[in-house]
Amino acid sequence: MSDLNALLDDLKRRMEGALDSLRRDFSGLRSGRASPALLEPVRVEAYGGEVPLTQVGSIAVPEARMITVQVWDRALAGAVERAIRDSGLGLNPAGEGQTIRVPIPQLTEERRNELAKAAARYAEGGKVAVRGVRRDGMDKAKGFEKKGEISQDDVKAWSDAIQKLTDQYVKKIDDMLADKDKEIKQV
């Protein structure tokens, strides 16, 4: 793999993975609007272990400030309700048989600030992951030089290309954070 394009393709794929992870993290931060993604991280005590909520029921958004969970197994309705309540999302579900209604409360200014800080932490984690991928790329380039497969000038050119790619992904993360921040602070 002593070819720059193959190395850059690999690094790009790994950096995209960091962005995907950040998108999932951001989808769990609620911005005052109901979204099925809000409940995706919730895990339910069922069938002798913890399973994702999506494996025990279907999630729907019938109106802007309400999420409903249709539990497939009536016996798990209480466990689903408990899991949502204990998830740390600040939600208070109400069960009606196999349907669980989850009203999305209006966000307070304090809660908006907490969410903005959490989004910033997630974004910083994404940047750290991207920088880790950059470090791996730089190490590979130096390894090729040590083996005599590429020259010092090539290492410099490769390093510049890797840094340019890294800067692009860090900017994407900053843009995603700015969008999420705007969404959170919007009243």
Side-chain angles (χ1 to χ4, degrees):
M1 186 166 125
S2 62
D3 138 67
L4 177 60
N5 289 333
L7 178 62
L8 287 177
D9 286 346
D10 179 53
L11 296 179
K12 195 178 292 186
R13 179 188 56 75
R14 291 171 58 199
M15 288 180 185
E16 275 300 326
L19 280 187
D20 290 343
S21 176
L22 181 60
R23 280 187 197 97
R24 279 191 304 277
D25 289 342
F26 277 178
S27 71
L29 290 177
R30 68 186 174 92
S31 57
R33 287 192 301 272
S35 162
L38 182 61
L39 296 180
E40 281 180 9
V42 174
R43 299 187 64 77
V44 180
E45 196 66 43
Y47 309 120
E50 278 196 354
V51 297
L53 178 60
T54 53
Q55 289 184 10
V56 296
S58 53
I59 303 170
V61 180
E63 53 192 77
R65 304 187 63 77
M66 177 72 68
I67 299 175
T68 59
V69 179
Q70 186 66 40
V71 183
W72 299 318
D73 182 350
R74 181 183 286 271
L76 294 177
V80 169
E81 220 177 307
R82 254 188 321 282
I84 294 169
R85 191 171 292 115
D86 298 342
S87 66
L89 295 172
L91 300 173
N92 192 19
E96 299 170 4
Q98 285 181 256
T99 302
I100 296 169
R101 297 188 180 284
V102 186
I104 306 298
Q106 192 75 337
L107 292 176
T108 63
E109 189 61 34
E110 183 181 326
R111 183 70 178 138
R112 285 180 200 280
N113 290 334
E114 287 174 21
L115 291 173
K117 286 178 186 171
R121 279 194 308 274
Y122 289 150
E124 189 53 42
K127 289 179 185 180
V128 167
V130 166
R131 289 183 196 122
V133 172
R134 176 191 62 191
R135 186 180 51 249
D136 290 349
M138 298 288 198
D139 290 347
K140 283 183 181 170
K142 288 176 185 156
F144 289 135
E145 180 194 16
K146 281 184 181 162
K147 293 179 192 168
E149 294 178 25
I150 61 175
S151 69
Q152 250 184 344
D153 291 341
D154 288 340
V155 169
K156 175 75 175 120
W158 285 32
S159 295
D160 290 346
I162 292 168
Q163 185 59 50
K164 187 176 172 189
L165 181 68
T166 303
D167 292 343
Q168 289 172 357
Y169 277 88
V170 167
K171 182 176 179 353
K172 286 180 183 182
I173 289 172
D174 286 339
D175 293 345
M176 287 170 62
L177 176 60
D179 291 346
K180 189 63 178 182
D181 211 40
K182 193 171 126 190
E183 181 186 316
I184 288 170
K185 299 242 165 116
Q186 175 183 329
V187 179

